[in-house]
Amino acid sequence: VHLVESGGGLVQAGKSLTLSCSASGFSFDDHVIGWFRQAPGQEEREGVSCSWSNDGSIFYADSVRGRFTMSSDNAKKMVYLYLNSLKPEDTAVYYCAAVLKSRAGAPDDPYEFEYWGQGTQVTVSS
């Protein structure tokens, strides 16, 4: 299983970024994909978005709902996270993660996910 994030960078507040997650080595259709972030000084990773939730819709954390959008291209095994209206508090390392659908739990709980990428840094300046 291999997940590789890309697209991070340094941007000004109010600008946009697109993060990509390339998946390989597993059945994409059988897995839930989530985006997490870890801000400087924070011990825990925060669940940002997930392809699955209890009601079947895409999950978004309250802190990003309306600004971030998750999408996927199953044929290419790619997952995207569109970050709009960025704020300095969005500064973090962003990770994509995966878990089998049959094992999926809370969409924002990093401990429910089995496979992780190496992360990509997003820095938002004020």
Side-chain angles (χ1 to χ4, degrees):
V1 176
H2 202 48
L3 297 168
V4 179
E5 303 93 337
S6 61
L10 171 64
V11 295
Q12 290 183 325
K15 300 297 186 181
S16 300
L17 275 177
T18 298
L19 304 184
S20 301
C21 173
S22 174
S24 62
F26 63 97
S27 174
F28 194 74
D29 293 339
D30 293 339
H31 284 73
V32 170
I33 306 294
W35 283 98
F36 293 81
R37 66 185 181 185
Q38 189 165 12
Q42 297 296 315
E43 291 187 2
E44 296 290 338
R45 295 178 181 179
E46 175 192 11
V48 174
S49 183
C50 182
S51 61
W52 177 88
S53 65
N54 287 335
D55 63 5
S57 63
I58 295 177
F59 164 83
Y60 294 101
D62 290 343
S63 58
V64 307
R65 187 175 294 112
R67 300 188 299 121
F68 291 8
T69 302
M70 180 178 180
S71 70
S72 64
D73 184 332
N74 288 11
K76 296 182 178 179
K77 290 190 174 182
M78 293 290 296
V79 181
Y80 306 98
L81 187 67
Y82 302 97
L83 288 63
N84 299 310
S85 303
L86 281 162
K87 304 175 181 180
E89 52 263 43
D90 294 319
T91 294
V93 178
Y94 284 72
Y95 300 88
C96 63
V99 64
L100 270 172
K101 287 183 179 178
S102 60
R103 298 179 184 174
D108 60 345
D109 186 349
Y111 295 100
E112 296 285 353
F113 287 76
E114 298 176 296
Y115 309 110
W116 292 83
Q118 83 291 346
T120 185
Q121 176 71 48
V122 172
T123 303
V124 184
S125 63
S126 58

